[in-house]
Amino acid sequence: MFAFLAIVAIIGLVVTAAIYSYKKNQARIGALVSLAHSKGWQFAPHDPFGLPGRWGGAPFNAGYDRRAANVITGEHDGKPFVAFDYSYKEDSRDSEGKTTTRTYCFAIVALGMPCALPELHVGPEGVFSRIGRVMGMQDIELESEDFNRAFRVRCPNPKLATDILSPRTMEALLANGKIRFRMVGSDILAYENGNLDAVEVLRCAHVLSEVIDGVPQFVWRDYGLYDRPVTPSQGNAS
């Protein structure tokens, strides 16, 4: 009898946890829908654009069953904007040959830039940095020691990184908390572990917009500025 009651209790806990997780996720999605409506953005529960195939590199170059969901599109500070939940799966085997499938989730926020720039990575140490080494990028030290302690910067062109990450832009990044982003084609893209959060969507969009606004005009000119911005969903993959 005791064993039966224990099993019933465990099942009850599992069901309760599942219901709690479902309600929490529904509340999160509701907040995203409300945010989209308040900003005049569009919300789609499913991916109408094939977003996982729009960009190369992290986190879109790993695993299988790559999916985008809860897609928000519109403009932020006059720049093309998209945010979405992204996930992929990976399989691993233990010493006994048993296969385990793990799902990895990311919150993606991207803004369109006036024109394409070379790849630039900014973010904390870890997997992000190993990706930079594989691509042949080097660590770049900037003039701000505070910034160098908080962020790692990688770019095939150190001068370009210095031009883009001006003292003012570095101060803005430090003031707004850590963020992991990269420039890829005509887009600037932030990606963090987990799912979209309405507050974080706004924060990331604001930070990315500040980075774009801080790029000197001569950089845009040097890399072929043209009049019509490219939307994030049309960005060139790298």
Side-chain angles (χ1 to χ4, degrees), residues 100-117:
T100 301
T101 299
R102 181 177 178 181
T103 300
Y104 294 84
C105 300
F106 291 86
I108 310 294
V109 178
L111 294 182
M113 300 191 299
C115 71
L117 295 177

Side-chain angles (χ1 to χ4, degrees), residues 56-69:
F60 304 106
N61 58 347
Y64 66 93
D65 195 19
R66 303 166 184 172
R67 299 187 180 188

Side-chain angles (χ1 to χ4, degrees), residues 39-40 52 56 59-60 90 112 126 140 142 157 160 174 176 197 201 205 216 231:
K39 295 291 184 179
F60 304 106
E90 283 188 347
I140 298 170
L142 301 175
N157 184 337
L160 175 66
L174 288 169
N176 283 283
D197 171 82
V201 167
T231 66

Side-chain angles (χ1 to χ4, degrees), residues 173-225:
L173 289 171
L174 288 169
N176 283 283
K178 290 188 176 181
I179 184 173
R180 176 170 57 178
F181 69 87
R182 63 192 183 96
M183 292 180 173
V184 49
S186 299
D187 303 318
I188 183 169
L189 177 90
Y191 59 105
E192 298 295 339
N193 296 326
N195 295 313
L196 285 182
D197 171 82
V199 174
E200 280 297 294
V201 167
L202 284 178
R203 184 185 77 88
C204 287
H206 173 71
V207 173
L208 296 180
S209 182
E210 283 197 305
V211 173
I212 294 174
D213 291 343
V215 176
Q217 288 300 312
F218 70 83
V219 171
W220 299 123
R221 185 176 61 251
D222 290 347
Y223 285 92
L225 174 65

Side-chain angles (χ1 to χ4, degrees), residues 114-128:
C115 71
L117 295 177
E119 193 96 353
L120 169 69
H121 292 243
V122 177
E125 187 62 82
V127 174
F128 166 84

